[in-house]
Amino acid sequence: MFSSPAATAVISLAFGRYILEPFFIQCEIPELAIKLITAVGITVVMVLNSMSVSWSTRIQIFLTFCKLTAILIIIVPGVMQLIKGQTQHFKDAFSGRDASVMGLPLAFYYGMYAYAGWFYLNFVTEEVHNPEKTIPLAICISMAIVTIGYVLTNVAYFTTISAEELGLLDAVAVLSRLKRSQLHPHFSPIRLFYVASREGHLPEILSMIHVRKHTPLPAVIVLHPLTIIMLFCGDLYSLLSFLSFARWLFIGLAVAGLIYLRYKRPDMHRPFKVPLFIPALFSFTCLFMVALSLYSDPFSTGIGFIITLTGVPAYYLFIIWDKKPKWFRRASGRITRTLQIILEVVPEEDCH
C-alpha cells in the first residue's frame, strides 16, 4: 500500500524538476526547491480530486492530449534529423557501458517504470463496460502506443544529443527544448485505497464518498500526507527503487497466484486465458529481479522490504482478527461516525 504514495511522489518529483529546469539552466536546482514546488503540485491535485470527479477526468484527458502532442513535437524533428543523416550519435552508443548482472534489477526497474501504466487499468475494472474485452484491448493498444512513442522519442534524442550527454542530464527534455512534463491530475492510487477499504482490508471510512461531490474524500486525505512524507524522505531514485521493489514483488506473487489457481480451481470462471508459459515466465522474471535487487542494492530495497512487512500487522488487524472485542468495535464505530460527520461522507450506496 505504501508503494502507491511513493509512485505518486516519483511522478510529482519529475514534474517539479521539469517545471524548475528552465529557471536554473546555468546552475543546479536546489533539491528543497524541487520538493516544495512538488508539494504544491500534489496539494493542487489533491484539492482537485476532492472537489470534482468530472473535472479531474476532463483535465486528465486534456493533459494526456497535451502530453501526446509534446511527444509528437519531439519525434517529428527527430525523424527530420534522421532524414538529413544525423546518425553520428547512434554509433557505439552503448559501448563502455556496465553490463554486469548486478545492474540488471536497476535497469529492469527503470525500464519497466515507463511501461507500468498497464496495471492501473485494473483499478477501474468495475467502471468499464464489458471489461472482459475492453481491458485486454485497452492494454494492448496503449502498450503499443507507449512503446512506439517512447522508442521514437529516444531515437529523436540521439539525433541531437550523444549518449554521454544524456547520461549527465537530469532533465534531457529541457536541453532539447522540446518536451514538457506535467503532474498527473488524477490520483490513481485513490481507487486502490477505496476498494481495499470496501473489501475490509482497510478502515471502513476510506470506502466512503462525499454526500454532494461524490468524491472519495477520506481516501484522498489519507493519500496526501503519505505522499508528502515519501516526497521529503527520499530522492527520485531511492523512491523509484523502493516502489519498484514492492510493486514487482506483489505483481510477481499475484501472477504466481493465478497460476496456482489454474491448477487448484480449474473450473473457475475465466473471461480470458493465455498460454501458461507466459505468466510463468513473467512471474519468474519479476521475482528473480526482486531477489537480485535485494543483493545488489540492499539499502533501498531493504527499506522497501521492511515497510512492506508493516502490512502484516494491518492484515492481521483488519482481516484475520474476526473476533474483535466489543470495546474495540464500539471505539472504531464512534471514530467512523465522527469522521463521517466532519467530512460529510457516507457509503457509496447511500448516495444513490
Side-chain angles (χ1 to χ4, degrees):
M1 196 65 70
F2 282 98
S3 65
S4 296
T8 304
V10 167
I11 296 173
S12 306
L13 276 170
F15 156 82
R17 179 171 291 278
Y18 275 103
I19 286 293
L20 293 177
E21 192 73 24
F23 303 101
F24 292 86
I25 295 177
Q26 302 299 326
C27 60
E28 185 69 20
I29 307 175
E31 287 298 320
L32 181 59
I34 295 175
K35 293 190 176 184
L36 288 175
I37 196 69
T38 300
V40 172
I42 291 172
T43 303
V44 170
V45 172
M46 182 208 70
V47 172
L48 178 63
N49 280 269
S50 301
M51 297 299 294
S52 173
V53 174
S54 60
W55 270 106
S56 62
T57 302
R58 290 169 187 169
I59 296 176
Q60 178 183 351
I61 294 171
F62 172 73
L63 291 182
T64 300
F65 174 79
C66 292
K67 185 174 3 182
L68 293 175
T69 302
I71 290 175
L72 283 176
I73 294 174
I74 299 172
I75 292 174
V76 172
V79 172
M80 294 175 64
Q81 290 284 80
L82 282 177
I83 294 174
K84 293 178 181 178
Q86 298 293 328
T87 59
Q88 65 273 16
H89 297 312
F90 292 92
K91 298 177 182 178
D92 301 322
F94 300 100
S95 62
R97 298 293 181 269
D98 182 11
S100 67
V101 176
M102 292 298 100
L104 277 178
L106 197 61
F108 176 81
Y109 289 161
Y110 286 5
M112 290 303 294
Y113 182 77
Y115 301 91
W118 57 270
F119 59 79
Y120 283 113
L121 285 171
N122 298 304
F123 293 174
V124 294
T125 300
E126 64 182 24
E127 299 174 8
V128 176
H129 296 292
N130 195 8
E132 294 87 352
K133 294 182 179 179
T134 303
I135 289 184
L137 184 62
I139 290 176
C140 292
I141 294 175
S142 61
M143 286 295 290
I145 294 174
V146 169
T147 302
I148 293 171
Y150 281 2
V151 169
L152 291 181
T153 298
N154 283 280
V155 168
Y157 286 152
F158 274 98
T159 62
T160 307
I161 309 170
S162 67
E164 289 74 17
E165 291 173 316
L166 284 172
L168 295 174
L169 296 174
D170 289 323
V172 178
V174 174
L175 177 65
S176 61
R177 311 292 187 192
L178 293 173
K179 186 179 179 182
R180 294 293 180 267
S181 177
Q182 74 281 330
L183 181 61
H184 208 284
H186 181 66
F187 274 8
S188 298
I190 290 173
R191 188 69 188 176
L192 181 61
F193 280 71
Y194 172 80
V195 174
S197 172
R198 192 179 62 188
E199 296 296 320
H201 299 169
L202 289 174
E204 181 186 5
I205 188 67
L206 296 181
S207 65
M208 298 185 183
I209 62 176
H210 196 273
V211 291
R212 294 185 302 277
K213 298 170 183 175
H214 294 181
T215 55
L217 184 61
V220 175
I221 291 175
V222 168
L223 181 61
H224 179 260
L226 289 176
T227 304
I228 297 297
I229 291 172
M230 292 288 181
L231 171 66
F232 284 95
C233 286
D235 58 21
L236 183 66
Y237 299 104
S238 62
L239 286 172
L240 186 56
S241 296
F242 153 64
L243 82 91
S244 296
F245 169 82
R247 171 179 289 174
W248 292 107
L249 170 64
F250 286 107
I251 289 176
L253 290 175
V255 175
L258 292 176
I259 298 173
Y260 172 78
L261 288 175
R262 181 79 70 92
Y263 288 102
K264 191 70 174 179
R265 301 179 62 180
D267 299 328
M268 179 185 291
H269 172 68
R270 292 175 171 85
F272 63 92
K273 290 184 179 182
V274 296
L276 200 58
F277 79 91
I278 295 177
L281 178 62
F282 180 82
S283 180
F284 172 79
T285 302
C286 292
L287 297 178
F288 175 75
M289 289 300 173
V290 165
L292 193 59
S293 68
L294 276 172
Y295 179 78
S296 62
D297 186 13
F299 181 75
S300 295
T301 53
I303 291 175
F305 183 70
I306 292 172
I307 294 178
T308 300
L309 289 179
T310 62
V312 174
Y315 180 78
Y316 176 82
L317 178 64
F318 293 107
I319 306 299
I320 302 299
W321 190 25
D322 54 356
K323 295 182 179 179
K324 300 178 178 65
K326 291 182 179 180
W327 66 264
F328 183 91
R329 292 196 297 268
R330 285 197 300 267
S332 60
R334 289 196 198 98
I335 294 173
T336 300
R337 287 191 294 273
T338 302
L339 290 175
Q340 280 188 260
I341 295 171
I342 295 173
L343 300 177
E344 296 183 293
V345 294
V346 294
E348 184 176 15
E349 56 271 16
D350 293 346
C351 282
H352 300 291

